[in-house]
Amino acid sequence: AAAAATSVVYASAFGASKPRAGGSRKIGGGNAAKHHHFDVPPEILEDGGCECKDEVILAVRLALEAGENMTQHYHTKGTADENIDDLGISTKSHESDFATAIDVKNENFITAGIKSQFPDHEIIGEETTGTGAIPPLTHKPTWIIDPIDGTTNFASGLPLSCVSIGFCLEGKPYMGVVYAPMTNELYVAVKGRGAYRNGIRLSGCTGEKAGKTLSKAVVCFEFGYARTQDGIDNMVNAVRRLLEHGVRTTRTLGSGVLDLCYVACGRMDVVYTGMAEEGWKPWDYCAGLVVAVEAGCTMSHLKLDGENDFDADGTMKENWQYNLYSRSMICGVNPILVEQCRDVVLNASSKKGFV
């Protein structure tokens, strides 16, 4: 028999919403007068095919509670109630790369929640790693955490930031949970079980998605932290080539995880990174990869930066085989668009003749 939806009811600044009909299990806590309702989709939990039922339920609860930690700053930003000292900003590699006290609080909270239920699991977190070497991904069950993706947006009061919790089995992404508190959107995806936004399944590569070409595409990129002359030239010239080729428009949102989620649900058509030092890290990729691939998108390397980016026959890795430690990435709603965008960005399109 199909499993009933597992519901997460959590105190939220957004007011109450009615639960769906049918059985559900409440997870979390908070002020009973103000609850927001989310479901772990029954399609993920039904029968015996999901290898991470307990993990996904935990990840949703932790993501929602961590998201709640972000709301006070958002709601007071720019008002008389704002206290910038509460953010506790500390720089990492340079002034543009920083963390807030909420980043650290969220990561500590998520880590403690995982360790209490799964003490033998490995955890790779952005703030724990800091500027040090990123721990290698082994075949042990491993969580990859970004406690706030889009920290600059968060500190500035811009609403596009999120909590990202990814989970890997046998060294490959398997589950992703992403919660954006200010847009009130929860993305949940498990390999082979689909991707969902607020409980509704994201469509695959069909219809408009399947036929999208570069000239009609919304193209996303992030400039990141690159400040060298060569790095700036590489990034800006890539955008120049896109505009000269012709695209519908370009966007830079400031959150790599949400970039991937927005491509997954068709709000944007393709996103790339890796023209300079702006390449992302495993916590930027992991959860978003599961959401995007389960929504029918194609995710691959923008270019070959190391031996782990391609197979033995020289084929560039993509989707579930994608190297989470790569310095480049491109993800689009269909494979043809990915190839078109890659060729233009890398200045390899002169002989292609595509539109």
Side-chain angles (χ1 to χ4, degrees), residues 18 33 38 46 85 88 98 118 140 145-146 178 279 300 304 307 338:
K18 295 180 181 179
F38 290 97
E46 64 188 3
D85 292 336
F98 63 89
F118 301 104
K140 294 181 180 179
I145 303 164
D146 195 338
V178 177
S300 184
L304 297 177
E307 61 182 14
V338 166

Side-chain angles (χ1 to χ4, degrees), residues 6-8 27 38-41 54-66 143 165 175-177 179 186-188:
T6 298
S7 299
V8 177
I27 304 172
F38 290 97
D39 287 336
V40 177
D54 292 336
E55 287 88 346
V56 72
I57 293 169
L58 175 64
V60 168
R61 178 178 68 82
L62 295 175
L64 292 174
E65 294 192 35
W143 301 72
I165 302 176
M175 178 265 288
V177 170
Y179 179 52
L186 175 70
Y187 295 86
V188 181

Side-chain angles (χ1 to χ4, degrees), residues 292-307:
V293 174
E294 280 298 310
C297 298
T298 297
M299 181 164 164
S300 184
H301 303 283
L302 179 66
K303 54 187 178 180
L304 297 177
D305 286 318
E307 61 182 14

Side-chain angles (χ1 to χ4, degrees), residues 191-211:
K191 184 178 181 180
R193 295 280 165 162
Y196 303 80
R197 184 184 67 217
N198 290 359
I200 307 299
R201 188 160 188 163
L202 300 180
S203 60
C205 182
T206 60
E208 184 183 10
K209 275 186 176 182

Side-chain angles (χ1 to χ4, degrees), residues 113-300:
I114 294 169
K115 285 297 185 184
S116 68
Q117 192 164 335
F118 301 104
D120 296 330
H121 288 190
E122 301 291 325
I123 300 173
I124 298 173
E126 178 178 13
E127 305 313 327
T128 304
T129 301
T131 57
I134 303 173
L137 184 58
T138 69
H139 284 264
K140 294 181 180 179
T142 301
W143 301 72
I144 300 182
I145 303 164
D146 195 338
I148 300 179
D149 186 62
T151 297
T152 300
N153 282 353
F154 169 66
S156 300
L158 297 170
L160 296 182
S161 64
C162 63
V163 179
S164 177
I165 302 176
F167 180 67
C168 297
L169 287 176
E170 298 299 322
K172 300 297 181 184
Y174 189 80
M175 178 265 288
V177 170
V178 177
Y179 179 52
M182 294 311 292
T183 58
N184 203 28
E185 291 183 331
L186 175 70
Y187 295 86
V188 181
V190 172
K191 184 178 181 180
R193 295 280 165 162
Y196 303 80
R197 184 184 67 217
N198 290 359
I200 307 299
R201 188 160 188 163
L202 300 180
S203 60
C205 182
T206 60
E208 184 183 10
K209 275 186 176 182
K212 184 74 69 171
T213 58
L214 187 57
S215 62
K216 297 179 180 178
V218 177
V219 181
C220 179
F221 53 86
E222 301 292 347
F223 278 156
Y225 307 135
R227 296 296 183 267
T228 66
Q229 190 61 56
D230 285 346
I232 293 169
D233 287 344
N234 288 339
M235 292 187 298
V236 171
N237 287 336
V239 178
R240 178 181 291 110
R241 289 190 289 273
L242 285 169
L243 297 176
E244 289 173 346
H245 173 275
V247 297
R248 176 159 291 170
T249 191
T250 62
R251 290 291 182 267
T252 298
L253 303 185
S255 168
V257 177
L258 288 182
D259 291 344
L260 291 171
C261 290
Y262 286 4
V263 170
C265 60
R267 291 172 176 167
M268 302 187 298
D269 300 305
V270 61
V271 56
Y272 70 87
T273 185
M275 289 303 295
E277 305 99 303
E278 92 285 17
W280 301 352
K281 301 295 192 297
W283 43 80
D284 299 310
Y285 295 133
C286 186
L289 180 151
V290 184
V291 174
V293 174
E294 280 298 310
C297 298
T298 297
M299 181 164 164
S300 184

